Amino acid sequence: MNRNLAKHELVTLAVFLLGGETKFIHVEDVAIKANEIAPGRFTWDKYKDKIDKGSVSKRLFDARKPEKGGYLIGSWKNGWMLTEEGKDFINKNINKISDPDLKKERMSPKERNWFKREKGRLMISPAYNKYISG
């Protein structure tokens, strides 16, 4: 699971690690903890040393949605806390999230375009075709 955790799952994990089973956690505390456990996943594009509180907030609201698991309850004013579904998510996945390498470097639009072109070029190369055919 590790690097494949969705951002709403990462903020759920951050709330849990901050004691969100029994108390409401402030969005700024969640932002700092989320950045600690997944460096780079919640930072600005241009200034990678800055945590994007808006991105963290969006993911907190996502984690509140039933279609995203309904892991959290809360708001900007009151803070965030785990629901029973959130506690179940943590209990089912705690062993899978022990790897500290949850970071994922963000790519600029230019880097993403280059990556797509390069991947396409490699996938049609004779060397790749030989590799996948054994």
Side-chain angles (χ1 to χ4, degrees), residues 69-117:
Y71 299 146
L72 300 174
I73 57 170
S75 65
W76 266 88
K77 182 179 179 184
N78 298 324
W80 299 90
M81 187 175 190
L82 292 174
T83 61
E84 289 304 316
E85 292 83 0
K87 292 174 188 177
D88 289 344
F89 168 76
I90 294 295
N91 289 331
K92 288 177 185 172
N93 295 288
I94 194 71
N95 293 332
K96 298 177 185 175
I97 53 182
S98 60
D99 185 347
D101 188 20
L102 295 169
K103 67 183 175 191
K104 183 175 174 182
E105 293 297 322
R106 295 177 79 176
M107 290 191 276
S108 70
K110 184 177 177 181
E111 291 170 320
R112 276 194 299 275
N113 287 335
W114 173 84
F115 183 79
K116 284 181 193 175
R117 284 192 312 272

Side-chain angles (χ1 to χ4, degrees), residues 3-64:
R3 291 184 66 165
N4 297 327
L5 283 177
K7 288 185 175 180
H8 74 282
E9 294 169 333
L10 286 170
V11 296
T12 301
L13 174 60
V15 169
F16 166 73
L17 293 172
L18 292 166
E21 285 183 278
T22 58
K23 63 181 179 179
F24 284 92
I25 309 298
H26 192 275
V27 66
E28 291 174 354
D29 294 323
V30 176
I32 290 170
K33 182 55 80 176
N35 192 58
E36 285 175 9
I37 62 176
R41 296 281 303 267
F42 296 97
T43 56
W44 293 3
D45 290 329
K46 187 173 178 183
Y47 301 102
K48 297 192 183 300
D49 61 324
K50 306 291 185 208
I51 300 170
D52 185 350
K53 189 168 68 170
S55 176
V56 172
S57 178
K58 180 181 184 335
R59 300 312 176 223
L60 287 165
F61 280 100
D62 284 350
R64 193 171 73 170

